[in-house]
C-alpha cells in the first residue's frame, strides 16, 4: 500500500460499525480532538488574526512617529512586531487553507515548526515590548520629556506589542504541550 506522508492530510472518521453484524461491540479507537488554538482549528485561526492585528497596529503607530529611530528599543519593537505580523499572517493563511479543505495540521513536523516559530516570535515580541516599556517609563516619568516626544504613541505601540505577545502565548503553549504529550 502506497501511503502519502504529506504535511497536511485528510481527517478520517473512524467507522462505528464493523460491517459484520455479528454483535461485536468493540469501541472504535478514539482520535484525540483538535484543541482550539492549535494549527488548523478555528480557534487557532482567531488567535493568528488577533496576533496579526495587534502587531500591525503597534508597528504602524510606532513607525508613524518621527523620532522612533533615535531609540534602539523602539527600532527593536518595530522589527519584532514586523516579524510577528508576517509570521502570524502566514500561519493564518495556512489555517484558512486547512479549514477550507478540512485538513488536519497535526503532523509532527508541522507542529514542531510552528512551535519553534511561535516560541521565537513571541520571545522577541515580549523582549521588545519590555525594552520599549522601560524607555517609555524613562521618558515619561523620570525625564519628563513627554512634552517634546510622542509619549502617547510610544505607550500605545508598546501596549499593542504586549497584547500581541499575550495572544501569541496560547498558540505556543498549546503547540508545545501537543509536542510534549506525544
Amino acid at each position: 500500500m502506497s501511503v502519502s506522508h504529506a504535511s497536511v492530510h485528510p481527517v478520517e472518521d473512524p467507522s462505528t460499525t464493523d460491517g459484520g453484524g455479528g454483535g461485536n461491540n468493540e469501541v472504535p479507537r478514539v482520535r484525540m480532538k483538535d484543541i482550539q488554538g492549535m494549527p488548523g482549528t478555528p480557534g487557532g485561526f482567531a488567535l493568528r488574526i488577533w496576533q496579526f492585528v495587534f502587531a500591525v497596529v503597534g508597528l504602524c503607530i510606532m513607525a508613524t512617529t518621527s523620532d522612533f529611530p533615535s531609540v534602539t528599543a523602539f527600532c527593536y519593537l518595530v522589527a519584532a512586531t514586523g516579524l510577528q505580523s508576517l509570521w502570524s499572517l502566514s500561519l493564518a493563511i495556512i489555517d484558512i487553507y486547512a479549514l477550507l479543505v478540512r485538513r488536519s495540521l497535526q503532523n509532527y513536523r508541522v507542529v514542531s515548526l510552528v512551535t519553534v516559530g511561535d516560541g521565537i516570535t513571541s520571545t522577541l515580541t515580549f523582549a521588545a515590548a519590555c525594552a520599549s516599556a522601560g524607555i517609555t517609563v524613562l521618558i515619561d516619568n523620570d525625564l519628563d520629556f513627554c512634552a517634546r516626544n510622542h509619549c502617547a504613541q510610544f505607550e500605545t505601540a508598546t501596549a499593542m506589542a504586549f497584547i500581541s505577545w499575550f495572544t501569541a502565548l496560547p498558540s505556543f503553549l498549546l503547540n508545545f504541550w501537543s509536542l510534549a504529550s506525544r
Side-chain angles (χ1 to χ4, degrees):
M1 181 171 150
S2 177
V3 178
S4 172
H5 295 290
S7 295
V8 179
H9 50 86
V11 177
E12 297 178 16
D13 290 331
S15 175
T16 57
T17 61
D18 62 347
N24 187 1
N25 291 333
E26 285 185 30
V27 176
R29 289 183 8 160
V30 177
R31 182 177 180 278
M32 187 173 133
K33 293 171 75 173
D34 292 338
I35 298 172
Q36 292 300 317
M38 298 181 76
T41 63
F45 174 67
L47 282 173
R48 297 295 173 192
I49 292 298
W50 286 115
Q51 291 167 22
F52 174 72
V53 167
F54 288 121
V56 165
V57 168
L59 174 69
C60 290
I61 290 171
M62 187 61 80
T64 56
T65 61
S66 60
D67 53 350
F68 91 88
S70 62
V71 179
T72 306
F74 295 155
C75 293
Y76 179 41
L77 182 72
V78 168
T81 54
L83 179 65
Q84 179 70 48
S85 62
L86 290 174
W87 176 255
S88 299
L89 179 64
S90 62
L91 287 180
I93 291 170
I94 292 170
D95 282 343
I96 288 172
Y97 170 75
L99 289 170
L100 289 177
V101 297
R102 298 185 190 277
R103 303 281 172 124
S104 174
L105 293 177
Q106 297 307 311
N107 183 308
Y108 180 77
R109 289 181 182 155
V110 172
V111 174
S112 297
L113 177 71
V114 171
T115 302
V116 170
D118 280 344
I120 290 170
T121 57
S122 65
T123 301
L124 289 175
T125 303
F126 182 69
C130 288
S132 296
I135 296 298
T136 303
V137 168
L138 175 73
I139 291 171
D140 188 18
N141 296 346
D142 299 337
L143 301 176
D144 289 327
F145 283 161
C146 271
R148 294 181 297 199
N149 284 320
H150 301 93
C151 283
Q153 287 94 343
F154 295 155
E155 291 168 354
T156 305
T158 302
M160 291 296 126
F162 274 117
I163 296 171
S164 179
W165 167 76
F166 189 70
T167 57
L169 191 62
S171 298
F172 170 70
L173 292 176
L174 286 170
N175 290 323
F176 188 71
W177 173 73
S178 173
L179 285 178
S181 65
R182 288 183 186 234

